[in-house]
C-alpha cells in the first residue's frame, strides 16, 4: 500500500461490501426439457415448451421423428433454455462518518 493510505471507516465498509457482492454474482443456469408424443411434431414441441420454467429464455428447440416400426412415428422434442438469476438487492449507501470535536 502507498504510504499514508489506510482503509478505515466507511471506506473499509464499502470495500468489504463490494467484495462480498462480487462473490455473490451467480452465472446463468442452463437446462433442457424433452417431450415425446405419438400425435404430431407441433403438439410435442408445445408440450416441451409448456414444461420450461417460468421466466426462462428458450435458446433452442430440436425435434426428431423416430420410426418405431409398422409405419408408426414417435416425435421427440427437446427445448433448451437459460435462467438468469434475479438481480441482487442493492445495499443502502453508507453515510460518511462525521468528525467529533
Amino acid at each position: 500500500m502507498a504510504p499514508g493510505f489506510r482503509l478505515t471507516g466507511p471506506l473499509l465498509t464499502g470495500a468489504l461490501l463490494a467484495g462480498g457482492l462480487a462473490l455473490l454474482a451467480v452465472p446463468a443456469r442452463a437446462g433442457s426439457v424433452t417431450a415425446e408424443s405419438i400425435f404430431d411434431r407441433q403438439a410435442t414441441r408445445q408440450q416441451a415448451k409448456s414444461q420450461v420454467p417460468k421466466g426462462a429464455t428458450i435458446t433452442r428447440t430440436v425435434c426428431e421423428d423416430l420410426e418405431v416400426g409398422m409405419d408408426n412415428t414417435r416425435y421427440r422434442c427437446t427445448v433448451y433454455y437459460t435462467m438468469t438469476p434475479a438481480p441482487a438487492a442493492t445495499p443502502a449507501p453508507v453515510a460518511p462518518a462525521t468528525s467529533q470535536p
Side-chain angles (χ1 to χ4, degrees):
M1 265 198 261
F5 182 78
R6 291 191 356 218
L7 212 52
T8 60
L11 189 58
L12 176 63
T13 303
L16 290 174
L17 205 61
L21 288 176
L23 292 175
L24 293 177
V26 179
R29 287 185 329 179
S32 66
V33 176
T34 300
E36 289 190 23
S37 175
I38 60 172
F39 298 111
D40 64 19
R41 183 185 287 221
Q42 184 61 30
T44 308
R45 182 181 292 122
Q46 280 306 117
Q47 181 182 1
K49 284 182 176 183
S50 72
Q51 296 175 32
V52 172
K54 187 174 184 173
T57 301
I58 294 175
T59 57
R60 189 172 84 169
T61 302
V62 177
C63 292
E64 56 187 322
D65 299 354
L66 308 169
E67 298 298 326
V68 292
M70 297 185 56
D71 209 23
N72 291 318
T73 304
R74 192 165 185 83
Y75 304 93
R76 179 185 299 152
C77 290
T78 302
V79 176
Y80 297 88
Y81 63 89
T82 57
M83 296 284 298
T84 51
T90 306
V94 178
T98 57
S99 59
Q100 298 283 330

